[in-house]
Amino acid sequence: MIAGHWSVVVAGGRIAGATAAWALAPYAESVLVVDASQATSFWPQQSTWDREGNLLWQDLGLLEAVLACGAPRTYGHTLRVDDDVAEYEYPQQDGHSYRMTVPREVLDPALLRVAESRGNVTVARPARVTDITSRGGRVRGVTVRQGGADHQVSCDLLVLADGRLSHNADRLGAEPYRVVPSPWVALLAYFADLPLRPDRGYFSSQPGSLAISTPCGPGQWCVSTDMHQRLIDESGGHPARLFARITAEDPHIGPAVKVGRQVSRLGGAGKLRMQRRPMSGPGWCLVGDAGYHLDPVTARGTKSALVAARILRDRIAEIGGIDGTLLDGTLLDGLTEQRDAELEEDWVVAAELCQPAPVAS
Ligand SMILES: Cc1cc2nc3c(=O)[nH]c(=O)nc-3n(C[C@H](O)[C@H](O)[C@H](O)COP(=O)(O)OP(=O)(O)OC[C@H]3O[C@@H](n4cnc5c(N)ncnc54)[C@H](O)[C@@H]3O)c2cc1C
């Protein structure tokens, strides 16, 4: 039964939403996660992180669940820039010094399962938050549409984790206050049985494009490209054709994909824009892409989602848990500044890559 009162309602149940539900559950009586997607949908967005990400997963108490997804750890990568090739080994500071990529079809359900294992977390899926109710200057609840019926739900805290196109953030009036349009089109597909090492990644930076192969499961690799819009325009073809050409011509990825098997369709996104919205207001909070969207070209979206979830959890812990009276007023103030300070470097690196720059043809 969805209708009624919940301490926390989380809209969106992928990386940011499932992580926030897990992290907030110990401080709440009940948590409802509402996710619009189908359990079986293919999600052409990657999830990659490095040592910093491993430390965040650990801080959130989720590292074990993430490692159980079975993705190999990578301890170095080959970097090809034009025709120069260099090998990099990651400094071994501690047991967390590796990179990892987990397909979203594996990671997101695992995170949602572990959130549900808290006992006080309920998942409604597929279901959608279609409206937000406010009273006395603060959010009081939402309308959830499931199976063609609308349910009125009240809550002490609404967490929006419904992705970069969050209409609910618009409904709240959480307008983006920093926006950087991106010239990159990101595409990816999964492959099996590539004759590549399972403990190393590969990055190739060529004029107007970046190609990456990274192990992401037993005998499985994610092959992705970021292509500058100008390169696509100059090539006169469809981005999918350019993806095929870039990967086929690459001296490392080309021979591998020729003998391997493509096991997913090709998918991705273009015409994106990086944006920051305020992280919180009276009775609401934004986590993940909904509040802070970094262009995928730097592969830091996962980190941004985890940082926001951790900041929110720490504030809720500090104020002693989630309760309607406590969350009134200014108790969630200052989260935006905290998040922006922690992610400033990630923003700058991604924004620099999105600046209009001449692309050699
Ligand atoms: C092509 C591509 C490649 C990428 N590569 C990387 C990478 O290598 N590394 C990395 O870290 N990041 C990468 N990213 C970024 C990363 O995927 C995102 O940062 C991350 O998915 C954000 O997670 P999220 O949970 O905030 O949002 P999402 O993953 O977008 O999930 C939002 C969820 O909310 C649901 N939803 C939407 N509206 C509603 C509603 N009204 N009610 C209820 N539910 C709703 C959606 O159905 C969805 O399930 C990539 C992105 C793209 C597009």
Side-chain angles (χ1 to χ4, degrees), residues 20-82:
W22 159 266
L24 296 180
Y27 307 98
E29 206 173 293
S30 56
V31 180
L32 174 67
V33 180
V34 181
D35 190 88
S37 64
Q38 301 283 342
T40 49
S41 54
F42 172 56
W43 212 254
Q45 298 184 191
Q46 256 200 93
S47 190
T48 305
W49 57 87
D50 55 12
R51 177 175 175 274
E52 250 185 305
N54 291 323
L55 294 173
L56 282 161
W57 287 122
Q58 188 183 42
D59 183 329
L60 287 157
L62 285 167
L63 186 59
E64 215 178 294
V66 165
L67 294 179
C69 290
R73 303 170 194 197
T74 60
Y75 292 94
H77 64 251
T78 304
L79 174 64
R80 173 175 170 244
V81 179
D82 299 327

Short mmCIF file of all heavy atoms in Angstrom, two decimals, residues 20-82:
data_model
loop_
_atom_site.label_atom_id
_atom_site.label_comp_id
_atom_site.label_asym_id
_atom_site.label_seq_id
_atom_site.Cartn_x
_atom_site.Cartn_y
_atom_site.Cartn_z
N ALA A 20 20.73 6.66 -1.62
CA ALA A 20 20.15 7.56 -0.61
C ALA A 20 19.18 6.80 0.29
O ALA A 20 19.17 7.00 1.51
CB ALA A 20 19.45 8.74 -1.30
N ALA A 21 18.38 5.91 -0.30
CA ALA A 21 17.41 5.14 0.51
C ALA A 21 18.15 4.29 1.54
O ALA A 21 17.78 4.23 2.72
CB ALA A 21 16.55 4.27 -0.41
N TRP A 22 19.20 3.61 1.08
CA TRP A 22 20.01 2.79 1.99
C TRP A 22 20.62 3.64 3.11
O TRP A 22 20.59 3.27 4.29
CB TRP A 22 21.13 2.12 1.17
CG TRP A 22 22.31 1.67 1.98
CD1 TRP A 22 23.46 2.37 2.21
CD2 TRP A 22 22.46 0.42 2.67
NE1 TRP A 22 24.32 1.64 3.00
CE2 TRP A 22 23.73 0.44 3.30
CE3 TRP A 22 21.65 -0.70 2.83
CZ2 TRP A 22 24.21 -0.62 4.06
CZ3 TRP A 22 22.13 -1.77 3.60
CH2 TRP A 22 23.39 -1.72 4.20
N ALA A 23 21.15 4.80 2.73
CA ALA A 23 21.89 5.63 3.69
C ALA A 23 20.95 6.29 4.70
O ALA A 23 21.33 6.51 5.85
CB ALA A 23 22.70 6.69 2.94
N LEU A 24 19.72 6.62 4.27
CA LEU A 24 18.80 7.33 5.17
C LEU A 24 17.97 6.38 6.03
O LEU A 24 17.43 6.79 7.07
CB LEU A 24 17.86 8.23 4.36
CG LEU A 24 18.53 9.37 3.59
CD1 LEU A 24 17.50 10.19 2.83
CD2 LEU A 24 19.32 10.29 4.54
N ALA A 25 17.84 5.12 5.60
CA ALA A 25 16.94 4.18 6.29
C ALA A 25 17.19 4.09 7.81
O ALA A 25 16.23 4.06 8.58
CB ALA A 25 17.01 2.81 5.64
N PRO A 26 18.46 4.08 8.27
CA PRO A 26 18.66 3.98 9.72
C PRO A 26 18.16 5.20 10.49
O PRO A 26 18.03 5.14 11.71
CB PRO A 26 20.19 3.87 9.86
CG PRO A 26 20.68 3.43 8.52
CD PRO A 26 19.72 4.01 7.53
N TYR A 27 17.90 6.30 9.80
CA TYR A 27 17.47 7.53 10.48
C TYR A 27 15.99 7.82 10.24
O TYR A 27 15.52 8.91 10.54
CB TYR A 27 18.31 8.71 9.98
CG TYR A 27 19.78 8.44 10.11
CD1 TYR A 27 20.52 8.00 9.01
CD2 TYR A 27 20.42 8.57 11.34
CE1 TYR A 27 21.87 7.71 9.13
CE2 TYR A 27 21.77 8.28 11.47
CZ TYR A 27 22.48 7.84 10.36
OH TYR A 27 23.81 7.54 10.50
N ALA A 28 15.28 6.85 9.65
CA ALA A 28 13.88 7.08 9.28
C ALA A 28 13.04 5.90 9.72
O ALA A 28 13.53 4.79 9.85
CB ALA A 28 13.78 7.23 7.75
N GLU A 29 11.75 6.18 9.92
CA GLU A 29 10.86 5.08 10.26
C GLU A 29 10.54 4.25 9.01
O GLU A 29 10.56 3.03 9.04
CB GLU A 29 9.57 5.65 10.86
CG GLU A 29 8.89 4.68 11.79
CD GLU A 29 7.72 5.36 12.48
OE1 GLU A 29 7.97 6.28 13.27
OE2 GLU A 29 6.57 4.97 12.18
N SER A 30 10.27 4.96 7.92
CA SER A 30 9.89 4.25 6.69
C SER A 30 10.37 5.04 5.48
O SER A 30 10.38 6.28 5.50
CB SER A 30 8.36 4.10 6.63
OG SER A 30 7.77 5.38 6.72
N VAL A 31 10.80 4.31 4.44
CA VAL A 31 11.30 4.94 3.22
C VAL A 31 10.58 4.32 2.03
O VAL A 31 10.53 3.09 1.90
CB VAL A 31 12.83 4.72 3.05
CG1 VAL A 31 13.34 5.38 1.77
CG2 VAL A 31 13.60 5.24 4.27
N LEU A 32 10.02 5.17 1.16
CA LEU A 32 9.39 4.68 -0.06
C LEU A 32 10.23 5.13 -1.25
O LEU A 32 10.48 6.33 -1.42
CB LEU A 32 7.96 5.25 -0.20
CG LEU A 32 7.25 4.91 -1.52
CD1 LEU A 32 6.94 3.42 -1.62
CD2 LEU A 32 5.95 5.72 -1.66
N VAL A 33 10.68 4.15 -2.05
CA VAL A 33 11.41 4.48 -3.28
C VAL A 33 10.46 4.28 -4.45
O VAL A 33 9.88 3.20 -4.60
CB VAL A 33 12.64 3.56 -3.47
CG1 VAL A 33 13.39 3.91 -4.76
CG2 VAL A 33 13.58 3.65 -2.27
N VAL A 34 10.31 5.33 -5.25
CA VAL A 34 9.41 5.27 -6.41
C VAL A 34 10.27 5.36 -7.66
O VAL A 34 10.96 6.36 -7.85
CB VAL A 34 8.43 6.48 -6.37
CG1 VAL A 34 7.47 6.43 -7.55
CG2 VAL A 34 7.68 6.53 -5.06
N ASP A 35 10.27 4.31 -8.48
CA ASP A 35 11.12 4.37 -9.67
C ASP A 35 10.31 4.10 -10.93
O ASP A 35 9.56 3.12 -11.01
CB ASP A 35 12.28 3.39 -9.59
CG ASP A 35 13.28 3.65 -10.73
OD1 ASP A 35 14.18 4.49 -10.53
OD2 ASP A 35 13.12 3.06 -11.81
N ALA A 36 10.51 4.96 -11.93
CA ALA A 36 9.66 4.92 -13.13
C ALA A 36 10.10 3.84 -14.12
O ALA A 36 9.33 3.47 -15.01
CB ALA A 36 9.68 6.28 -13.81
N SER A 37 11.32 3.32 -13.99
CA SER A 37 11.81 2.41 -15.03
C SER A 37 11.33 0.97 -14.80
O SER A 37 10.90 0.61 -13.72
CB SER A 37 13.34 2.44 -15.08
OG SER A 37 13.86 1.95 -13.87
N GLN A 38 11.46 0.19 -15.88
CA GLN A 38 11.17 -1.24 -15.78
C GLN A 38 12.42 -1.94 -15.25
O GLN A 38 13.53 -1.53 -15.57
CB GLN A 38 10.87 -1.83 -17.18
CG GLN A 38 9.69 -1.19 -17.89
CD GLN A 38 8.36 -1.68 -17.35
OE1 GLN A 38 8.30 -2.71 -16.69
NE2 GLN A 38 7.29 -0.93 -17.60
N ALA A 39 12.23 -3.01 -14.49
CA ALA A 39 13.38 -3.73 -13.94
C ALA A 39 14.30 -4.25 -15.06
O ALA A 39 15.49 -4.42 -14.86
CB ALA A 39 12.90 -4.88 -13.08
N THR A 40 13.75 -4.46 -16.25
CA THR A 40 14.53 -5.09 -17.32
C THR A 40 15.12 -4.09 -18.32
O THR A 40 15.75 -4.49 -19.28
CB THR A 40 13.61 -6.04 -18.12
OG1 THR A 40 12.42 -5.31 -18.45
CG2 THR A 40 13.25 -7.27 -17.30
N SER A 41 14.92 -2.78 -18.08
CA SER A 41 15.33 -1.83 -19.13
C SER A 41 16.85 -1.76 -19.27
O SER A 41 17.59 -1.88 -18.29
CB SER A 41 14.75 -0.44 -18.86
OG SER A 41 15.09 -0.03 -17.57
N PHE A 42 17.31 -1.61 -20.54
CA PHE A 42 18.74 -1.42 -20.82
C PHE A 42 19.06 0.04 -20.55
O PHE A 42 18.36 0.94 -20.99
CB PHE A 42 19.04 -1.78 -22.28
CG PHE A 42 20.45 -1.43 -22.70
CD1 PHE A 42 21.55 -1.92 -22.01
CD2 PHE A 42 20.68 -0.60 -23.79
CE1 PHE A 42 22.85 -1.60 -22.40
CE2 PHE A 42 21.97 -0.28 -24.19
CZ PHE A 42 23.05 -0.78 -23.49
N TRP A 43 20.12 0.27 -19.80
CA TRP A 43 20.44 1.62 -19.36
C TRP A 43 21.79 2.03 -19.94
O TRP A 43 22.82 1.69 -19.37
CB TRP A 43 20.49 1.62 -17.83
CG TRP A 43 20.07 2.92 -17.25
CD1 TRP A 43 20.90 3.86 -16.70
CD2 TRP A 43 18.74 3.44 -17.16
NE1 TRP A 43 20.15 4.92 -16.28
CE2 TRP A 43 18.84 4.71 -16.55
CE3 TRP A 43 17.49 2.99 -17.55
CZ2 TRP A 43 17.74 5.52 -16.32
CZ3 TRP A 43 16.39 3.79 -17.31
CH2 TRP A 43 16.52 5.03 -16.71
N PRO A 44 21.78 2.72 -21.09
CA PRO A 44 23.07 3.02 -21.72
C PRO A 44 23.81 4.17 -21.04
O PRO A 44 24.06 5.21 -21.63
CB PRO A 44 22.69 3.35 -23.16
CG PRO A 44 21.31 3.88 -23.07
CD PRO A 44 20.66 3.25 -21.88
N GLN A 45 24.06 4.02 -19.77
CA GLN A 45 24.88 4.97 -19.01
C GLN A 45 25.86 4.09 -18.23
O GLN A 45 25.45 3.06 -17.70
CB GLN A 45 24.04 5.75 -18.00
CG GLN A 45 22.97 6.59 -18.62
CD GLN A 45 22.21 7.43 -17.59
OE1 GLN A 45 21.21 8.01 -17.91
NE2 GLN A 45 22.66 7.48 -16.37
N GLN A 46 27.09 4.53 -18.15
CA GLN A 46 28.05 3.69 -17.44
C GLN A 46 28.12 4.04 -15.97
O GLN A 46 27.58 5.05 -15.53
CB GLN A 46 29.43 3.91 -18.04
CG GLN A 46 29.88 2.79 -18.94
CD GLN A 46 31.39 2.83 -19.11
OE1 GLN A 46 32.10 2.16 -18.37
NE2 GLN A 46 31.86 3.59 -20.07
N SER A 47 28.82 3.22 -15.25
CA SER A 47 29.15 3.55 -13.89
C SER A 47 30.58 3.11 -13.65
O SER A 47 30.87 1.92 -13.66
CB SER A 47 28.18 2.85 -12.95
OG SER A 47 28.38 3.35 -11.68
N THR A 48 31.43 4.09 -13.50
CA THR A 48 32.86 3.82 -13.34
C THR A 48 33.36 4.68 -12.19
O THR A 48 32.89 5.79 -12.02
CB THR A 48 33.63 4.27 -14.61
OG1 THR A 48 33.05 3.63 -15.73
CG2 THR A 48 35.10 3.92 -14.52
N TRP A 49 34.29 4.16 -11.45
CA TRP A 49 34.85 4.99 -10.38
C TRP A 49 36.26 4.51 -10.10
O TRP A 49 36.69 3.44 -10.55
CB TRP A 49 33.99 4.95 -9.14
CG TRP A 49 33.78 3.56 -8.61
CD1 TRP A 49 34.58 2.88 -7.74
CD2 TRP A 49 32.70 2.67 -8.95
NE1 TRP A 49 34.07 1.63 -7.51
CE2 TRP A 49 32.91 1.48 -8.24
CE3 TRP A 49 31.58 2.77 -9.78
CZ2 TRP A 49 32.05 0.38 -8.34
CZ3 TRP A 49 30.74 1.68 -9.88
CH2 TRP A 49 30.97 0.50 -9.16
N ASP A 50 36.98 5.31 -9.31
CA ASP A 50 38.36 4.98 -8.98
C ASP A 50 38.47 4.84 -7.46
O ASP A 50 37.47 4.62 -6.78
CB ASP A 50 39.31 6.05 -9.54
CG ASP A 50 38.91 7.44 -9.04
OD1 ASP A 50 38.07 7.54 -8.11
OD2 ASP A 50 39.44 8.43 -9.57
N ARG A 51 39.67 4.97 -6.93
CA ARG A 51 39.88 4.79 -5.48
C ARG A 51 38.94 5.69 -4.66
O ARG A 51 38.37 5.25 -3.66
CB ARG A 51 41.35 5.09 -5.14
CG ARG A 51 41.65 5.00 -3.66
CD ARG A 51 43.14 5.18 -3.38
NE ARG A 51 43.37 5.19 -1.95
CZ ARG A 51 43.29 6.30 -1.21
NH1 ARG A 51 43.02 7.46 -1.77
NH2 ARG A 51 43.50 6.24 0.09
N GLU A 52 38.79 6.92 -5.12
CA GLU A 52 37.89 7.85 -4.41
C GLU A 52 36.48 7.28 -4.31
O GLU A 52 35.82 7.37 -3.28
CB GLU A 52 37.81 9.15 -5.20
CG GLU A 52 38.48 10.32 -4.56
CD GLU A 52 38.21 11.57 -5.38
OE1 GLU A 52 38.49 11.57 -6.59
OE2 GLU A 52 37.68 12.51 -4.81
N GLY A 53 36.04 6.67 -5.41
CA GLY A 53 34.71 6.06 -5.43
C GLY A 53 34.65 4.88 -4.47
O GLY A 53 33.67 4.71 -3.73
N ASN A 54 35.69 4.07 -4.45
CA ASN A 54 35.71 2.93 -3.53
C ASN A 54 35.59 3.39 -2.08
O ASN A 54 34.89 2.78 -1.27
CB ASN A 54 37.02 2.14 -3.69
CG ASN A 54 37.09 1.44 -5.03
OD1 ASN A 54 36.08 0.95 -5.52
ND2 ASN A 54 38.26 1.41 -5.65
N LEU A 55 36.28 4.50 -1.77
CA LEU A 55 36.22 5.01 -0.39
C LEU A 55 34.81 5.53 -0.08
O LEU A 55 34.32 5.37 1.05
CB LEU A 55 37.27 6.11 -0.19
CG LEU A 55 38.73 5.62 -0.27
CD1 LEU A 55 39.70 6.80 -0.25
CD2 LEU A 55 39.05 4.66 0.88
N LEU A 56 34.17 6.14 -1.08
CA LEU A 56 32.79 6.62 -0.86
C LEU A 56 31.84 5.45 -0.64
O LEU A 56 31.00 5.47 0.25
CB LEU A 56 32.34 7.46 -2.04
CG LEU A 56 32.88 8.89 -2.08
CD1 LEU A 56 32.78 9.49 -3.48
CD2 LEU A 56 32.12 9.77 -1.08
N TRP A 57 31.97 4.40 -1.49
CA TRP A 57 31.11 3.22 -1.29
C TRP A 57 31.31 2.67 0.11
O TRP A 57 30.37 2.26 0.79
CB TRP A 57 31.44 2.13 -2.31
CG TRP A 57 31.01 2.35 -3.73
CD1 TRP A 57 31.81 2.38 -4.83
CD2 TRP A 57 29.66 2.53 -4.23
NE1 TRP A 57 31.06 2.58 -5.97
CE2 TRP A 57 29.74 2.67 -5.63
CE3 TRP A 57 28.41 2.59 -3.62
CZ2 TRP A 57 28.61 2.87 -6.43
CZ3 TRP A 57 27.28 2.79 -4.42
CH2 TRP A 57 27.39 2.93 -5.80
N GLN A 58 32.58 2.65 0.53
CA GLN A 58 32.87 2.09 1.86
C GLN A 58 32.25 2.95 2.96
O GLN A 58 31.62 2.44 3.89
CB GLN A 58 34.37 1.96 2.08
CG GLN A 58 34.66 1.22 3.36
CD GLN A 58 36.12 1.12 3.66
OE1 GLN A 58 36.87 2.08 3.49
NE2 GLN A 58 36.55 -0.04 4.07
N ASP A 59 32.43 4.25 2.84
CA ASP A 59 31.87 5.17 3.84
C ASP A 59 30.35 4.99 3.94
O ASP A 59 29.77 5.04 5.03
CB ASP A 59 32.23 6.61 3.40
CG ASP A 59 31.76 7.66 4.39
OD1 ASP A 59 30.73 7.43 5.05
OD2 ASP A 59 32.40 8.71 4.51
N LEU A 60 29.72 4.73 2.79
CA LEU A 60 28.27 4.56 2.78
C LEU A 60 27.85 3.15 3.21
O LEU A 60 26.65 2.85 3.30
CB LEU A 60 27.73 4.85 1.37
CG LEU A 60 27.73 6.34 0.98
CD1 LEU A 60 27.74 6.52 -0.52
CD2 LEU A 60 26.54 7.05 1.61
N GLY A 61 28.82 2.26 3.41
CA GLY A 61 28.51 0.89 3.83
C GLY A 61 28.05 0.01 2.67
O GLY A 61 27.38 -1.01 2.89
N LEU A 62 28.42 0.40 1.44
CA LEU A 62 27.93 -0.34 0.28
C LEU A 62 29.03 -1.04 -0.51
O LEU A 62 28.74 -1.69 -1.53
CB LEU A 62 27.17 0.62 -0.65
CG LEU A 62 25.78 1.04 -0.18
CD1 LEU A 62 25.26 2.21 -1.00
CD2 LEU A 62 24.81 -0.14 -0.26
N LEU A 63 30.28 -0.93 -0.07
CA LEU A 63 31.37 -1.47 -0.89
C LEU A 63 31.23 -2.97 -1.11
O LEU A 63 31.41 -3.48 -2.21
CB LEU A 63 32.74 -1.15 -0.26
CG LEU A 63 33.95 -1.54 -1.11
CD1 LEU A 63 33.93 -0.86 -2.47
CD2 LEU A 63 35.26 -1.22 -0.40
N GLU A 64 30.85 -3.67 -0.04
CA GLU A 64 30.72 -5.13 -0.15
C GLU A 64 29.68 -5.52 -1.21
O GLU A 64 29.91 -6.38 -2.06
CB GLU A 64 30.27 -5.66 1.20
CG GLU A 64 30.87 -7.02 1.54
CD GLU A 64 30.39 -7.44 2.93
OE1 GLU A 64 30.78 -6.76 3.91
OE2 GLU A 64 29.62 -8.39 3.01
N ALA A 65 28.54 -4.83 -1.18
CA ALA A 65 27.47 -5.11 -2.14
C ALA A 65 27.93 -4.81 -3.56
O ALA A 65 27.60 -5.53 -4.51
CB ALA A 65 26.24 -4.28 -1.81
N VAL A 66 28.72 -3.76 -3.72
CA VAL A 66 29.20 -3.37 -5.04
C VAL A 66 30.23 -4.38 -5.55
O VAL A 66 30.19 -4.81 -6.71
CB VAL A 66 29.79 -1.93 -4.96
CG1 VAL A 66 30.60 -1.61 -6.19
CG2 VAL A 66 28.67 -0.92 -4.78
N LEU A 67 31.13 -4.82 -4.67
CA LEU A 67 32.14 -5.79 -5.08
C LEU A 67 31.48 -7.12 -5.45
O LEU A 67 31.94 -7.84 -6.33
CB LEU A 67 33.18 -6.01 -3.98
CG LEU A 67 34.07 -4.81 -3.66
CD1 LEU A 67 35.04 -5.12 -2.53
CD2 LEU A 67 34.84 -4.35 -4.89
N ALA A 68 30.36 -7.43 -4.77
CA ALA A 68 29.67 -8.70 -5.04
C ALA A 68 29.05 -8.71 -6.45
O ALA A 68 28.62 -9.77 -6.92
CB ALA A 68 28.60 -8.94 -3.99
N CYS A 69 29.04 -7.57 -7.12
CA CYS A 69 28.53 -7.53 -8.50
C CYS A 69 29.47 -8.27 -9.45
O CYS A 69 29.11 -8.56 -10.60
CB CYS A 69 28.35 -6.09 -8.98
SG CYS A 69 27.00 -5.22 -8.15
N GLY A 70 30.70 -8.53 -9.00
CA GLY A 70 31.60 -9.39 -9.76
C GLY A 70 32.41 -8.72 -10.86
O GLY A 70 33.01 -9.39 -11.69
N ALA A 71 32.46 -7.39 -10.86
CA ALA A 71 33.27 -6.72 -11.90
C ALA A 71 34.74 -6.82 -11.54
O ALA A 71 35.10 -6.72 -10.36
CB ALA A 71 32.84 -5.27 -12.00
N PRO A 72 35.60 -7.01 -12.53
CA PRO A 72 37.03 -7.08 -12.22
C PRO A 72 37.58 -5.71 -11.80
O PRO A 72 37.03 -4.68 -12.18
CB PRO A 72 37.68 -7.50 -13.55
CG PRO A 72 36.60 -7.62 -14.54
CD PRO A 72 35.31 -7.15 -13.95
N ARG A 73 38.63 -5.74 -11.01
CA ARG A 73 39.29 -4.50 -10.62
C ARG A 73 40.38 -4.21 -11.65
O ARG A 73 41.07 -5.13 -12.06
CB ARG A 73 39.92 -4.65 -9.25
CG ARG A 73 38.91 -5.05 -8.21
CD ARG A 73 39.58 -5.45 -6.91
NE ARG A 73 38.60 -6.13 -6.07
CZ ARG A 73 38.73 -6.33 -4.76
NH1 ARG A 73 39.81 -5.92 -4.14
NH2 ARG A 73 37.81 -6.96 -4.07
N THR A 74 40.55 -2.96 -12.03
CA THR A 74 41.66 -2.64 -12.93
C THR A 74 42.70 -1.84 -12.16
O THR A 74 42.37 -0.97 -11.36
CB THR A 74 41.18 -1.87 -14.18
OG1 THR A 74 40.57 -0.65 -13.78
CG2 THR A 74 40.19 -2.69 -14.99
N TYR A 75 43.95 -2.19 -12.43
CA TYR A 75 45.06 -1.61 -11.67
C TYR A 75 45.93 -0.69 -12.52
O TYR A 75 46.98 -0.23 -12.08
CB TYR A 75 45.92 -2.72 -11.07
CG TYR A 75 45.15 -3.47 -9.98
CD1 TYR A 75 44.44 -4.63 -10.27
CD2 TYR A 75 45.10 -2.96 -8.69
CE1 TYR A 75 43.72 -5.29 -9.30
CE2 TYR A 75 44.39 -3.62 -7.70
CZ TYR A 75 43.70 -4.78 -8.01
OH TYR A 75 42.98 -5.42 -7.03
N GLY A 76 45.51 -0.45 -13.76
CA GLY A 76 46.27 0.44 -14.63
C GLY A 76 45.56 0.54 -15.96
O GLY A 76 44.56 -0.14 -16.19
N HIS A 77 46.06 1.43 -16.79
CA HIS A 77 45.47 1.49 -18.13
C HIS A 77 46.50 1.93 -19.16
O HIS A 77 47.54 2.50 -18.82
CB HIS A 77 44.24 2.42 -18.17
CG HIS A 77 44.56 3.86 -17.86
ND1 HIS A 77 44.17 4.46 -16.69
CD2 HIS A 77 45.20 4.82 -18.58
CE1 HIS A 77 44.56 5.72 -16.70
NE2 HIS A 77 45.20 5.96 -17.83
N THR A 78 46.19 1.63 -20.39
CA THR A 78 46.99 2.10 -21.52
C THR A 78 46.35 3.37 -22.01
O THR A 78 45.13 3.44 -22.14
CB THR A 78 46.98 1.04 -22.65
OG1 THR A 78 47.45 -0.19 -22.10
CG2 THR A 78 47.86 1.46 -23.81
N LEU A 79 47.17 4.39 -22.26
CA LEU A 79 46.64 5.65 -22.79
C LEU A 79 47.30 5.93 -24.14
O LEU A 79 48.53 6.03 -24.24
CB LEU A 79 46.91 6.81 -21.83
CG LEU A 79 46.52 8.19 -22.34
CD1 LEU A 79 45.00 8.30 -22.54
CD2 LEU A 79 46.99 9.28 -21.37
N ARG A 80 46.46 6.04 -25.15
CA ARG A 80 46.97 6.38 -26.49
C ARG A 80 46.50 7.80 -26.80
O ARG A 80 45.30 8.09 -26.77
CB ARG A 80 46.41 5.40 -27.51
CG ARG A 80 46.72 5.73 -28.94
CD ARG A 80 46.23 4.62 -29.88
NE ARG A 80 46.32 5.04 -31.26
CZ ARG A 80 45.28 5.20 -32.08
NH1 ARG A 80 44.06 4.95 -31.65
NH2 ARG A 80 45.45 5.59 -33.33
N VAL A 81 47.45 8.69 -27.04
CA VAL A 81 47.10 10.06 -27.43
C VAL A 81 47.71 10.27 -28.81
O VAL A 81 48.93 10.22 -28.97
CB VAL A 81 47.65 11.10 -26.43
CG1 VAL A 81 47.28 12.52 -26.89
CG2 VAL A 81 47.10 10.85 -25.04
N ASP A 82 46.85 10.51 -29.81
CA ASP A 82 47.26 10.47 -31.22
C ASP A 82 47.95 9.11 -31.43
O ASP A 82 47.34 8.10 -31.20
CB ASP A 82 48.12 11.68 -31.57
CG ASP A 82 47.32 12.98 -31.35
OD1 ASP A 82 46.09 12.95 -31.55
OD2 ASP A 82 47.91 13.99 -30.94
#
